[in-house]
Amino acid sequence: MKKKIIVTAIALIIVIAAVLSITPRRSSQKSETITSGTLTIGLEGTYAPFSYRQNGKLTGFEIELSTKIAKKLGLKPKYVQTKWDSLIAGLGAKRYDVVFNDVGITAERQKNYRFSSPYIYAKTVLIKPTSATDLKTLADIKGKKMAQSTTSNFGALAKKSGAEIVAVPGITEAMNMVITGRADGTLNDMGAYQVWKKANPSAKTTAIDLSKESPASPAGALINKNNKALQEKINKALTDLRADGTLKSLSIKYFNTDLTVK
């Protein structure tokens, strides 16, 4: 009888092992994205040339880049437009899987989120009315009214430099403040200013390169802290796009220069 029980038990073990070998583990089926088969991307959509609307359609450097990354991941891109001041919080609330919005990689943000490897380096400029001869360096903004997004790297730099911050949601509003005299200037990205200036050629504004005072800061895709797998896949895609020249080509297309290296 004991021998029969042992044989039966062994047969049962063999059957269970066979079933397990052909049944996918639940963990391998778990999606790394909110919606299976889709990469949901948070962005402003009003921050040219990174992401903006042209003829009603989203376009820009980060639109093309994230589309190519999604394709390499075998996913369909889906875009969710959100104002900058609530963009990062939306990632924490799982409104999207990743943020592509020229987000600066900082130690403070890395405490709560993951970043991809850098794909662009933001070069800071001091934008002012051309007639404002007293604004030449970063030190000159002390005590001046600077139109800034309060949660951006540029806003933090302006505040640290002693400026009085006039809160705005983005560069369009900042430039309106500057050209109407409601702000003395603004700190922003060189590429973003060049695009704004191209669209507003008659505006009497000047941008001063602050690279020597404020070295170019890296920006990357922002990802939830617990999603290491997605971070690794995006990094692999970025490595491939850098190696085949796509990353550089996109930068030149939208910024007329290569901002993908320091």
Side-chain angles (χ1 to χ4, degrees):
M1 177 63 71
K2 286 184 179 181
K3 184 176 180 181
K4 184 176 180 181
I5 292 172
I6 292 171
V7 171
T8 301
I10 292 172
L12 183 60
I13 290 170
I14 292 172
V15 170
I16 293 172
V19 170
L20 290 174
S21 68
I22 62 174
T23 303
R25 295 180 180 180
R26 288 185 179 271
S27 60
S28 66
Q29 291 181 321
K30 183 181 178 181
S31 176
E32 290 141 10
T33 57
I34 296 168
T35 303
S36 182
T38 300
L39 183 66
T40 306
I41 302 159
L43 43 69
E44 284 180 278
T46 57
Y47 188 36
F50 294 92
S51 64
Y52 59 103
R53 286 193 178 273
Q54 189 172 64
N55 299 322
K57 184 179 179 182
L58 276 172
T59 187
F61 172 77
E62 286 174 318
I63 296 294
E64 284 205 44
L65 176 60
S66 57
T67 296
K68 291 180 183 297
I69 287 174
K71 184 177 180 180
K72 282 188 172 292
L73 270 55
L75 300 171
K76 180 181 178 181
K78 175 186 175 182
Y79 296 100
V80 177
Q81 285 187 247
T82 306
K83 289 185 177 180
W84 167 256
D85 288 345
S86 58
L87 189 61
I88 294 177
L91 180 67
K94 295 185 178 181
R95 290 188 62 210
Y96 22 81
D97 304 304
V98 59
V99 170
F100 277 90
N101 202 83
D102 189 31
V103 183
I105 300 173
T106 66
E108 188 65 27
R109 287 174 181 153
Q110 286 177 314
K111 291 178 183 178
N112 300 307
Y113 301 93
R114 291 182 180 272
F115 276 95
S116 71
S117 54
Y119 57 76
I120 198 167
Y121 291 84
K123 296 184 179 180
T124 305
V125 289
L126 166 56
I127 307 165
K128 61 169 189 172
T130 303
S131 59
T133 57
D134 58 334
L135 290 178
K136 298 177 181 178
T137 69
L138 186 61
D140 293 334
I141 73 172
K142 185 176 181 179
K144 299 291 186 180
K145 291 183 178 180
M146 300 295 287
Q148 308 289 163
S149 167
T150 57
T151 56
S152 70
N153 286 8
F154 300 115
L157 178 60
K159 185 177 181 180
K160 182 180 178 181
S161 301
E164 179 185 340
I165 305 300
V166 179
V168 293
I171 188 171
T172 300
E173 294 81 5
M175 293 310 303
N176 285 338
M177 297 289 283
V178 173
I179 62 179
T180 58
R182 289 176 289 168
D184 297 306
T186 182
L187 300 182
N188 215 294
D189 177 77
M190 180 187 292
Y193 172 72
Q194 287 177 343
V195 172
W196 181 89
K197 185 66 173 177
K198 185 177 180 180
N200 300 272
S202 62
K204 295 179 180 179
T205 57
T206 300
I208 298 173
D209 188 352
L210 297 180
S211 295
K212 291 183 179 179
E213 300 171 85
S214 176
S217 58
L222 190 69
I223 306 158
N224 270 314
K225 192 74 172 180
N226 62 355
N227 207 340
K228 183 179 178 181
L230 183 60
Q231 177 194 40
E232 291 175 345
K233 289 183 178 181
I234 289 176
N235 280 346
K236 174 62 169 57
L238 280 169
T239 297
D240 292 345
L241 293 171
R242 186 179 290 277
D244 68 14
T246 298
L247 199 56
K248 179 180 179 179
S249 177
L250 286 176
S251 180
I252 292 173
K253 175 180 177 179
Y254 286 101
F255 302 103
N256 295 318
T257 187
D258 184 9
L259 298 180
T260 65
V261 292
K262 284 185 180 180

